[in-house]
Amino acid sequence: MPAVHRFAEFVHELQELEKTSIAAQGPQILDAFARHTRFDKGALYLRDGRGPSLRLAAKSQTCVAPEILAGDSAAQDAVVPSPAVVVPLQSYREAVGLLALSTDEIDDTIDEDLAFVRSAAAFLSTLITNQRLLQETREGDFQLKYRLWELESLYDI
């Protein structure tokens, strides 16, 4: 299968994540990376809203991942098996999360695989950021309508 077609299928599958809740996306994201890349193991860490800390959103069964990967080398060494690729999920200047991927294959990863993962991670970061912004907008709209309803009720009294 040509790389362009394979990448298009991967991006389409990631785009389908918009239909699911943010809380349920972790395992689906990791599963999509396992099916469409050569990395079959890994862990996904996502930031909760605008908070600074990362939480473990998903991990493969054979990956023993720490609860929080703070970015220091000691925490990254605790991921078993050691990740072959650690990709930051960043949209614009906002850090969204971290994706640690590994594989049982002994041969080195090639540049094409890394470019494939980086491109998919960039798309995924933008997708997650947009979904969070949409959720915040909906919550703000609800709050605004609720306040307007309160003011109308007070005016009627």
Side-chain angles (χ1 to χ4, degrees):
M1 178 182 308
V4 174
H5 187 265
R6 189 177 70 152
F7 185 71
E9 285 181 1
F10 188 22
V11 167
H12 178 69
E13 186 172 334
L14 290 176
Q15 195 170 15
E16 293 296 315
L17 292 170
E18 289 179 325
K19 299 175 184 174
T20 62
S21 69
I22 293 175
Q25 289 178 349
Q28 293 174 345
I29 291 169
L30 200 57
D31 185 50
F33 272 91
R35 271 185 304 185
H36 293 282
T37 66
R38 61 187 296 191
F39 303 103
D40 54 353
K41 297 178 185 75
L44 174 68
Y45 301 88
L46 294 175
R47 264 192 33 230
D48 288 327
R50 302 243 181 245
S53 63
L54 295 173
R55 68 170 173 77
L56 181 64
K59 68 177 185 128
S60 58
Q61 291 180 348
T62 57
C63 179
V64 179
E67 282 300 312
I68 296 175
L69 188 59
D72 60 331
S73 61
Q76 289 179 4
D77 291 341
V79 179
V80 179
S82 179
V85 177
V86 177
V87 182
L89 300 176
Q90 186 167 348
S91 178
Y92 306 106
R93 292 185 178 163
E94 181 180 354
V96 176
L98 190 67
L99 182 64
L101 300 171
S102 64
T103 182
D104 287 335
E105 297 176 18
I106 298 173
D107 59 340
D108 294 332
T109 58
I110 56 174
D111 291 336
E112 183 179 318
D113 291 332
L114 296 177
F116 189 84
V117 168
R118 282 190 208 118
S119 298
F123 177 78
L124 177 64
S125 301
T126 304
L127 185 102
I128 291 171
T129 300
N130 288 344
Q131 190 173 16
R132 286 181 178 170
L133 289 173
L134 180 63
Q135 182 179 0
E136 289 176 11
T137 303
R138 286 181 181 155
E139 289 172 3
D141 184 51
F142 174 76
Q143 290 294 326
L144 184 63
K145 287 179 181 177
Y146 183 76
R147 298 289 180 200
L148 183 62
W149 178 76
E150 280 182 332
L151 287 173
E152 287 175 352
S153 297
L154 286 173
Y155 182 74
D156 289 341
I157 293 175

